[in-house]
Structure formats: structure tokens, C-alpha cells
């Protein structure tokens, strides 16, 4: 079947059948593709081997795509290639490159966009390890990072200069669930890009981990590159790590070159599970988890030990208009997602202590909520960003990022919503 013939089918169907046949690899008798399990590939002549190195990282022309030269797993291999083809399609980009985890995807995207002397302007609320990459590591290589509140477009514009090469944001942001207006940020960038030669153009990089491609396609909204952790709801079962960068064709070769030389390769078995179990069930899981998150967010909003709930589906949510425009499933339905952030009551110290009591109560008494980092699993997870995922940020940076000492992050699983609410009620009563 050609791509044109497939075009009338819906996205959830594509996620099941999308790339399960490939011109790169013959396995026509299998309904599910086999996993490639050889780190190296037989070459029938030195000239074919040489051709493989010469062609490496070049976008495949269709004749080559039919007969690619595979050399060694770290360069390219068919199972990971199928997952990349699938992501190129579902994120609607020109090129996709898979990595060992979300952090290796994020480092690669930023390192290929920047060089020593350039800078990145980032929204100040970010996953703790991304913040650490930007403050502890990139500066060592001469890349400076400036943090702004990217909802304030004047502040964003003011932070950019002739050496800016990337604007980076998470939307919704981890952990506070702020939605950033991708199109508005892109407009600011485009004004600056107007007079710049191609190589100096600023790219907009968006982390789509919290939404997943089911609930948001950042490239459609104006982002140039999408990065995501596949370890989370794309994988869906908490058994594999993975990361993906979807980018314009001009980054195809450099992303693969970066992966070849820095490593961070996704193993074929992981790619296979992410594709066969993860992506094909993503729409079902996100829909169910979103219904649960909505119900739990409403419950929390009505609880007297909860001071504030940040969930894009609530009427009280500050960025309602942006959320409703951006967080939509491929059929156009509003899909505010499976993550909920809330703050318990009390002054700073009191809230910090209450928050700790709450998660400790969950850790020792709850059946269906688990105290653990990560998100997007069949099991509901809870954590306190201030003490855990964002502890790399000092108190000042946490406060600037809107992370409250009494803040709690909940990642919905697939349990019955009433059971989750039951465990939460007991824990709130006990804190
Ligand atoms: C928003 C976001 N981006 C990236 C990552 C990193 O992903 P990984 O753990 O797969 O490296 C995480 C991890 O929690 C995350 O929450």
C-alpha cells in the first residue's frame, strides 16, 4: 500500500499499522516485525562497506532505501529505523532520530543546533536533568543558557541576540503544567530570523514528553524540532528507555553523526517494544489516563488541604486558551493529558512538611499510587518535584520556575479513578 492510499485512515489506526512493513527489510511473513539481533552486518565487498560509510547519515533516496547498506548498530539498523519512520509520520516531520533515552535526544538536539560561543534561551521551568544539562554541562562547551519566562514575549525577545541558536521549551512544562504558546514564540523567532543566513537561524525546540504525539504535535504549531522521552507514555509500561528527535531534513545527517560519535543508541529490542507495545496502544492509554486525570484534578480542587491545582482541563487553569488550542488529539478533541500538579496548603515550611507527609503516607499505605519518579505508566506515580526530580535546582531557581515546596506531581496510570481518589483521600486525611 502506498503512503497516498494510507492517507484516509485515522491516526490511531496509523499508530498500529503505520510502518509495520518497510522497504528496508523483508519480513513479509510476519504480522509483527522480528527484532534484529546482530550488532554488525555482513558486507559482501569492501566497496559496499565503503559505500555504507560514504552514504551514512544521508537521507535515503528511494533506490537506496530499497537496499540500504547497514554496517553496525551504532550507525543504523532496521528495527530502530522503523520506529524512526513511524515517528516521522506521527509527529509530521521530515526526519527522526532515535536515542537511548530522552536526555540523550535532548543533548543531541541542542548540540547539533549550537556551537561554542552560541547561546540558548530556555523557558525557566524545565525537567531537572534538562536544567542540569543547561547549567552544568553546556557552559563547559561554551554554550551559554539564558532562562526566561517564555510566556512574556518581551522578556523572550530581550534575551535573544546575534549568537542565539535555539529557544527551548517544554509544553506542558514539567512539573507545573504551564502551556507555552508555541506559535507566539515562533513569531518572535521569525522576526529575528528574517535577516539571518540559514546557518545562523534560531530554531525552536519543544519537549513533547508530557503531551505525547497523541495529544500534541509541536511541529504543526510552529516548533522546528521536537524532542521527547519515549521512556514515559510512549513506552507506556515503564520497561524501556528511549528518546526521539524529529527535525527538519537539514539536521538528519548531523543528528546521526552525533549519535554515531557520542553513542546514546537505542537498542533494537527497546525500539521493538516501544513500537509494538507502546505506540500501538498510546491512543487508548492516553484517553483513559486523561479521563482519570480530569476526575482526579476536580477532586483535588475541592479538597481543603489543596491550595492550588494546575491541570490544563480545569476552568481555573491559567493558560486555558493556549491549552485548548495546542492540546488536541489527531481528531481535534481537547486532550489535557495525564499529568496533574498540585500544591498543598500552608506557608512555605508548613507546605513542605505536609507535602512530605503526604507522599510518605502514600509510600507506606497506598495500594494503587506509588511514590516514584517517571510518568506515563500503567501504574499511577506520585513525587515531590522540589525534593526529587527538580532537586538539582536550588531554592531560588525552583521559586523562579514556579516550583512550590508543597508541590506534588501526579502521573496517572490505568487504575480505576475511584481507587486513585480513595488512596489520595486517605493520604490527604493523613497529612
Ligand atoms: C519532560 C521530560 N523531558 C525529558 C526527560 C528525560 O527523559 P529520559 O528519562 O528518558 O532520559 C524527562 C524525564 O522525566 C522529562 O520529564
Amino acid at each position: 500500500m502506498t503512503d497516498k492510499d494510507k492517507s484516509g485512515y485515522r491516526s490511531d489506526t496509523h499508530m498500529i499499522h503505520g510502518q509495520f512493513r518497510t522497504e528496508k527489510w523483508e519480513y513479509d511473513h510476519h504480522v509483527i516485525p522480528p527484532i534484529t539481533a546482530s550488532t554488525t552486518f555482513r558486507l559482501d565487498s569492501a566497496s559496499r562497506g565503503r559505500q555504507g560509510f560514504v552514504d551514512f547519515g544521508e537521507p535515503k533516496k528511494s533506490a537506496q532505501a530499497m537496499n540500504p547498506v547497514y554496517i553496525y548498530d551504532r550507525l543504523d539498523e532496521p528495527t530502530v529505523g522503523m520506529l524512526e519512520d513511524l515517528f516521522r509520520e506521527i509527529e509530521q516531520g521530515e526526519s527522526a532520530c532515535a536515542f537511548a533515552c530522552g536526555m540523550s535526544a535532548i543533548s543531541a538536539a541542542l548540540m547539533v543546533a549550537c556551537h561554542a560561543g552560541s547561546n540558548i534561551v530556555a523557558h525557566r521551568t524545565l525537567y531537572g536533568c534538562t536544567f542540569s544539562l543547561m547549567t552544568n554541562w553546556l557552559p563547559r562547551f561554551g554554550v551559554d543558557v539564558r532562562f526566561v519566562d517564555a510566556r512574556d514575549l518581551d522578556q523572550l525577545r530581550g534575551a535573544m541576540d546575534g549568537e542565539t541558536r535555539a529557544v527551548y521549551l517544554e509544553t506542558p512544562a514539567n512539573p507545573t503544567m504551564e502551556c507555552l504558546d508555541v506559535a507566539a514564540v515562533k513569531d518572535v523567532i521569525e522576526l529575528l530570523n528574517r535577516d539571518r543566513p540559514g546557518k545562523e537561524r534560531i530554531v525552536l525546540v519543544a519537549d513533547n514528553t508530557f503531551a505525547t504525539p497523541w495529544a500534541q504535535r509541536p511541529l504543526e504549531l510552529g516548533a522546528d524540532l521536537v524532542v521527547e522521552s519515549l521512556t514515559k507514555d510512549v513506552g507506556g509500561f515503564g520497561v524501556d528507555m528511549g528518546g526521539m528527535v524529529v527535525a527538519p531534513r537539514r539536521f538528519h545527517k548531523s543528528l546521526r553523526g552525533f549519535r554515531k560519535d557520542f553513542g546514546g543508541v537505542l537498542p533494537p529490542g527497546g525500539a521493538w517494544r516501544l513500537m509494538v507495545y507502546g505506540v500501538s496502544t498510546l491512543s487508548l492509554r492516553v484517553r483513559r489516563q486523561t479521563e482519570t486525570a480530569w476526575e482526579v484534578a476536580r477532586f483535588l480542587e475541592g479538597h481543603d488541604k489543596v491550595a492550588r491545582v494546575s491541570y490544563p482541563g480545569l476552568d481555573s487553569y491559567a493558560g486555558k486558551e493556549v491549552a485548548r488550542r495546542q492540546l488536541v488529539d489527531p481528531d481535534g478533541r481537547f486532550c489535557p493529558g495525564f499529568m496533574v500538579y498540585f500544591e498543598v496548603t500552608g506557608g512555605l515550611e508548613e507546605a513542605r512538611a505536609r507535602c512530605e507527609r503526604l507522599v510518605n503516607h502514600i509510600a507506606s499505605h497506598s495500594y494503587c499510587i506509588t511514590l516514584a519518579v517517571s510518568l506515563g505508566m500503567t501504574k499511577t506515580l506520585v513525587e515531590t518535584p522540589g525534593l526529587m526530580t527538580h532537586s538539582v535546582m536550588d531554592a531560588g531557581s525552583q521559586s523562579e520556575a514556579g516550583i512550590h515546596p508543597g508541590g506534588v506531581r501526579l502521573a496517572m496510570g490505568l487504575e480505576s479513578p475511584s481507587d486513585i481518589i480513595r488512596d489520595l483521600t486517605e493520604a490527604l486525611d493523613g497529612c
Side-chain angles (χ1 to χ4, degrees):
M1 184 178 259
T2 66
D3 280 350
K4 186 166 164 289
D5 297 331
K6 288 194 303 189
S7 64
Y9 291 91
R10 290 157 61 114
S11 288
D12 40 7
T13 304
H14 275 302
M15 287 182 182
I16 296 166
H17 292 280
Q19 299 292 338
F20 275 18
R21 298 178 73 127
T22 177
E23 55 195 3
K24 293 177 185 164
W25 188 27
E26 265 184 45
Y27 62 93
D28 268 359
H29 303 293
H30 297 75
V31 174
I32 299 295
I35 307 172
T36 51
S38 174
T39 54
T40 192
F41 294 81
R42 188 188 304 278
L43 296 158
D44 52 17
S45 68
S47 65
R48 186 165 164 81
R50 180 178 172 278
Q51 195 57 46
F53 281 102
V54 170
D55 290 348
F56 170 69
E58 297 292 350
K60 299 276 182 290
K61 298 183 191 81
S62 58
Q64 283 172 316
M66 303 286 279
N67 188 18
V69 185
Y70 289 117
I71 294 180
Y72 184 59
D73 261 11
R74 183 157 40 75
L75 277 63
D76 193 8
E77 64 82 32
T79 312
V80 169
M82 290 180 72
L83 182 70
E84 291 170 341
D85 286 346
L86 184 57
F87 263 81
R88 195 163 34 79
E89 192 165 293
I90 61 184
E91 286 284 11
Q92 305 192 1
E94 292 176 349
S95 169
C97 193
F99 288 88
C101 65
M103 285 319 301
S104 46
I106 294 167
S107 339
L110 292 176
M111 298 280 267
V112 301
C114 298
H115 54 80
S118 51
N119 66 66
I120 297 166
V121 177
H123 181 61
R124 63 193 184 186
T125 312
L126 294 171
Y127 170 52
C129 295
T130 306
F131 181 85
S132 173
L133 170 72
M134 291 182 175
T135 51
N136 291 324
W137 298 102
L138 292 180
R140 288 200 193 188
F141 300 97
V143 178
D144 175 39
V145 183
R146 300 152 182 198
F147 293 101
V148 296
D149 183 342
R151 291 168 301 179
D152 177 344
L153 299 178
D154 289 331
Q155 208 185 110
L156 176 73
R157 197 176 294 113
M160 291 196 256
D161 62 23
E163 300 310 324
T164 305
R165 292 291 178 274
V167 170
Y168 187 91
L169 46 90
E170 291 173 3
T171 182
N174 181 357
T176 53
M177 298 300 293
E178 280 153 16
C179 285
L180 297 164
D181 189 336
V182 177
V185 170
K186 184 58 185 280
D187 285 347
V188 172
I189 295 174
E190 279 310 292
L191 271 177
L192 293 171
N193 273 345
R194 246 186 349 206
D195 306 319
R196 290 185 177 212
K199 279 196 158 163
E200 290 176 22
R201 290 170 70 84
I202 304 164
V203 290
L204 175 53
V205 186
D207 183 328
N208 201 27
T209 303
F210 267 29
T212 81
W214 180 255
Q216 178 174 260
R217 274 88 34 223
L219 298 182
E220 277 178 4
L221 300 169
D224 298 294
L225 287 89
V226 185
V227 291
E228 47 211 328
S229 166
L230 311 184
T231 316
K232 311 293 162 23
D233 223 6
V234 170
F237 297 89
V239 293
D240 283 295
M241 303 205 87
M244 188 67 73
V245 183
V246 185
R249 202 179 320 278
R250 70 192 154 95
F251 287 106
H252 185 93
K253 187 167 182 159
S254 54
L255 282 166
R256 279 167 175 69
F258 185 93
R259 183 177 65 186
K260 171 173 79 67
D261 297 340
F262 279 78
V265 178
L266 179 64
W272 183 87
R273 284 185 293 274
L274 290 164
M275 180 168 57
V276 173
Y277 301 139
V279 178
S280 62
T281 58
L282 179 66
S283 67
L284 274 180
R285 290 182 287 102
V286 176
R287 277 184 214 152
R288 160 77 179 198
Q289 289 162 338
T290 298
E291 281 167 21
T292 305
W294 229 320
E295 207 171 319
V296 168
R298 283 195 211 99
F299 156 78
L300 288 168
E301 204 170 34
H303 200 284
D304 59 7
K305 284 196 185 149
V306 175
R308 187 175 88 86
V309 183
S310 180
Y311 180 66
L314 291 177
D315 283 340
S316 59
Y317 180 75
K320 231 170 11 191
E321 187 273 324
V322 178
R324 277 164 207 266
R325 184 155 35 85
Q326 296 189 162
L327 290 171
V328 286
D329 72 17
D331 298 320
R333 285 176 300 232
F334 181 40
C335 187
F338 56 94
M339 298 297 294
V340 178
Y341 175 76
F342 67 97
E343 291 161 7
V344 294
T345 51
L348 291 186
E349 280 317 310
E350 197 187 344
R352 188 195 314 274
R354 170 162 288 148
C355 167
E356 209 170 330
R357 285 199 300 273
L358 174 79
V359 296
N360 285 343
H361 190 286
I362 289 173
S364 42
H365 295 98
S366 293
Y367 176 56
C368 70
I369 307 178
T370 307
L371 174 60
V373 299
S374 205
L375 47 122
M377 288 173 51
T378 52
K379 299 185 182 212
T380 294
L381 306 181
V382 71
E383 66 113 8
T384 58
L387 295 177
M388 299 169 71
T389 49
H390 292 69
S391 55
V392 69
M393 300 167 96
D394 61 25
S397 304
Q398 286 194 6
S399 158
E400 276 172 22
I403 300 168
H404 192 271
V408 181
R409 193 185 78 177
L410 263 177
M412 295 310 156
L414 295 173
E415 305 91 342
S416 167
S418 59
D419 287 338
I420 296 168
I421 290 173
R422 169 182 162 174
D423 280 359
L424 275 174
T425 307
E426 284 173 16
L428 282 162
D429 287 348
C431 74

